[in-house]
Amino acid sequence: MSQFRQRAATMIAIVGLAVAAQSAAAADISKFMASEVEKLKQEWAANPVLIEAVLAQNAKHVPLTSIQDLDAKWQATPGLADFMMPILDNPAAAELYKLEANAGYVVESFVMDDQGALVAATNKTSDYWQGDEDKFTESYKGGNGAVHVSAVKFDASAQKHLAQVSLPIMKDGKAIGAITLGVDVGAVR
């Protein structure tokens, strides 16, 4: 067999293993969600500290253009900067850290307001505004709320296969924001 054919066969085998691993991980996260979604809603999405933080942010009525300007600055800034600290170091972020410590399968979490802007996070996210992404649009659902689970993907910063589980944050039967949890699928098997 030529060197080219050996490399091609090796690559095909690697891709096949990756697809099989992703399928198994997707099945694991589906089983996990079936058994854990109510617990996540109660412990995370109905957390009074997180609800109060979202209500306070929503009350500011920040124009979407201001949110998008901050999003552009956030994405253009490598590492951490002082303007990011109010998201990463506030009472709601402290509550997220506590919740993560008690849930060995969550490696990151963040809360969004009614426009998809970050309210609190345990890690710097790739962007500040989530309002144009499924994690927000599918969980906020125009104020109706729903559970959204992303496909399993390898997260380079965490060095783990993660699924993002997004839940609405509800108040008086209406979604006021959303929360996303980065779930390590290897920890839920």
Side-chain angles (χ1 to χ4, degrees):
M1 185 182 290
S2 74
Q3 190 175 15
F4 173 77
R5 286 184 185 213
Q6 285 178 322
R7 284 185 192 158
T10 301
M11 290 305 294
I12 289 169
I14 290 170
V15 168
L17 289 173
V19 168
Q22 191 163 16
S23 294
D28 289 339
I29 199 67
S30 293
K31 285 184 215 170
F32 166 79
M33 284 305 300
S35 67
E36 294 290 310
V37 72
E38 287 307 314
K39 180 181 171 185
L40 293 173
K41 283 181 180 178
Q42 292 302 313
E43 291 179 11
W44 295 75
N47 183 290
V49 174
L50 303 180
I51 290 170
E52 286 304 314
V54 171
L55 288 170
Q57 183 64 29
N58 289 350
K60 293 178 184 176
H61 302 290
V62 178
L64 183 57
T65 55
S66 297
I67 291 169
Q68 290 171 329
D69 289 346
L70 183 55
D71 183 53
K73 182 178 177 182
W74 186 285
Q75 290 183 56
T77 304
L80 295 176
D82 289 342
F83 76 92
M84 298 172 180
M85 297 319 292
I87 301 298
L88 300 168
D89 187 15
N90 63 42
E95 189 69 13
L96 290 174
Y97 287 118
K98 285 183 207 173
L99 290 166
E100 280 184 19
N102 291 324
Y105 51 82
V106 178
V107 298
E108 66 179 359
S109 56
F110 51 92
V111 173
M112 299 155 278
D113 69 8
D114 61 358
Q115 296 184 80
L118 290 179
V119 173
T122 57
N123 298 311
K124 179 188 175 191
T125 56
S126 59
D127 53 353
Y128 171 76
W129 184 53
Q130 314 295 318
D132 60 344
E133 299 177 33
D134 287 347
K135 67 186 79 158
F136 176 76
T137 60
E138 293 299 314
S139 61
Y140 184 71
K141 275 288 195 217
N144 293 317
V147 175
H148 175 71
V149 181
S150 74
V152 176
K153 294 181 182 172
F154 184 74
D155 185 291
S157 62
Q159 291 293 299
K160 298 177 186 300
H161 285 89
L162 301 181
Q164 289 187 324
V165 177
S166 300
L167 307 162
I169 294 180
M170 306 291 285
K171 176 79 173 168
D172 300 326
K174 182 178 185 300
I176 59 168
I179 183 169
T180 295
L181 313 174
V183 175
D184 174 6
V185 297
V188 298
R189 290 183 179 175

